[in-house]
């Protein structure tokens, strides 16, 4: 005859207490993760590229100064294509580096009514811009986080040395104070 080992039985009250305690622990952890963890892990300087992050951008044909562009993407203060974020002053210069082969950028700066638009970079894969080329505006939610928008007197023109393909992805990085972040956009061509 086989011996039967009896399992100790847990009373209904004890099992109910264990279930209530388990639920209380789960809710406590959930409340901690929702409320306290963001406060504890708050990053005071969330530097990075806010836009574009894969956005589709319409390429255009336009003239700036004496140069005519075909299927190029202008970044201006009006279209706010390039938006950075961060609140610390980490130096005067930031660097925009284009990582997609075949693509480069021109940087145009307004020189005043007597000098008009002046091209500072011609088909460069790396641009050095002053932090003062951007105006910093606080977000509505938290006054400590600032969004950077290109000032009126600056235009960055992304262009390709060869023919542009529809929905071609253009990748770049922005480095400021030793911190880098990526940006990207897809180029949509106008239909004739």
């Amino acid at each position: 005859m086989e011996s039967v080992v009896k399992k100790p039985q847990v009373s209904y009250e004890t099992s109910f207490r264990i279930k209530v305690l388990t639920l209380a622990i789960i809710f406590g952890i959930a409340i901690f993760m929702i409320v306290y963890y963001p406060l504890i892990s708050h990053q005071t300087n969330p530097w990075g590229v806010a836009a574009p992050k894969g956005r589709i951008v319409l390429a255009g044909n336009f003239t700036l100064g004496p140069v005519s562009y075909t299927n190029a993407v202008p970044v201006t203060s009006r279209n706010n294509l390039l938006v950075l974020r961060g609140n610390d002053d980490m130096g005067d210069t930031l660097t925009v580096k284009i990582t997609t082969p075949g693509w480069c950028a021109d940087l145009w700066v307004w020189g005043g009514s007597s000098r008009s638009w002046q091209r500072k970079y011609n088909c460069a894969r790396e641009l050095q811009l002053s932090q003062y080329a951007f105006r910093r505006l606080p977000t509505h939610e938290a006054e400590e986080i600032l969004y950077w928008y290109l000032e009126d007197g600056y235009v960055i023109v992304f262009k390709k040395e060869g023919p542009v393909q529809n929905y071609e992805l253009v990748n770049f990085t922005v480095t400021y104070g030793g911190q880098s972040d990526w940006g990207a956009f897809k180029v949509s061509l106008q239909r004739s």
Side-chain angles (χ1 to χ4, degrees):
M1 188 174 236
E2 295 178 23
S3 65
V4 177
V5 178
K6 268 189 149 182
K7 293 182 184 177
Q9 289 197 352
V10 179
S11 69
Y12 174 77
E13 292 85 14
T14 305
S15 69
F16 179 75
R17 288 179 185 154
I18 291 172
K19 289 177 186 175
V20 169
L21 183 61
T22 304
L23 283 174
I25 290 172
I26 290 171
F27 281 121
I29 291 171
I31 289 171
F32 176 78
M33 295 302 285
I34 292 170
V35 176
Y36 295 111
Y37 183 74
L39 296 174
I40 293 170
S41 66
H42 177 68
Q43 187 179 3
T44 58
N45 183 25
W47 161 256
V49 177
K53 291 283 190 180
R55 177 174 147 190
I56 296 174
V57 178
L58 185 64
N61 302 330
F62 56 93
T63 300
L64 189 59
V67 180
S68 292
Y69 291 99
T70 303
N71 292 331
V73 177
V75 177
T76 67
S77 63
R78 291 195 179 108
N79 66 11
N80 288 329
L81 178 61
L82 178 63
V83 180
L84 308 175
R85 70 175 180 271
N87 61 351
D88 285 348
D89 185 359
M90 298 186 290
D92 185 39
T93 307
L94 59 90
T95 304
V96 177
K97 183 176 182 181
I98 301 166
T99 57
T100 301
W103 282 84
C104 58
D106 292 354
L107 174 63
W108 291 86
V109 179
W110 178 252
S113 58
S114 63
R115 294 173 37 199
S116 188
W117 287 102
Q118 299 175 338
R119 185 164 45 179
K120 297 295 182 182
Y121 287 94
N122 182 10
C123 200
R125 294 195 41 88
E126 191 171 302
L127 307 171
Q128 301 275 324
L129 285 132
S130 169
Q131 67 169 329
Y132 303 110
F134 296 86
R135 67 183 183 284
R136 299 177 188 185
L137 300 174
T139 63
H140 296 290
E141 303 87 36
E143 295 292 319
E144 66 204 27
I145 299 172
L146 302 176
Y147 280 116
W148 299 25
Y149 300 94
L150 201 60
E151 285 282 1
D152 286 334
Y154 295 86
V155 176
I156 302 171
V157 179
F158 286 88
K159 62 183 185 176
K160 190 173 182 185
E161 296 164 335
V164 178
Q165 302 299 317
N166 202 21
Y167 296 111
E168 187 171 355
L169 184 65
V170 179
N171 293 298
F172 62 92
T173 59
V174 179
T175 304
Y176 180 59
Q179 296 183 15
S180 291
D181 196 16
W182 67 275
F185 57 88
K186 289 184 179 180
V187 180
S188 175
L189 300 177
Q190 294 179 351
R191 296 184 183 209
S192 303

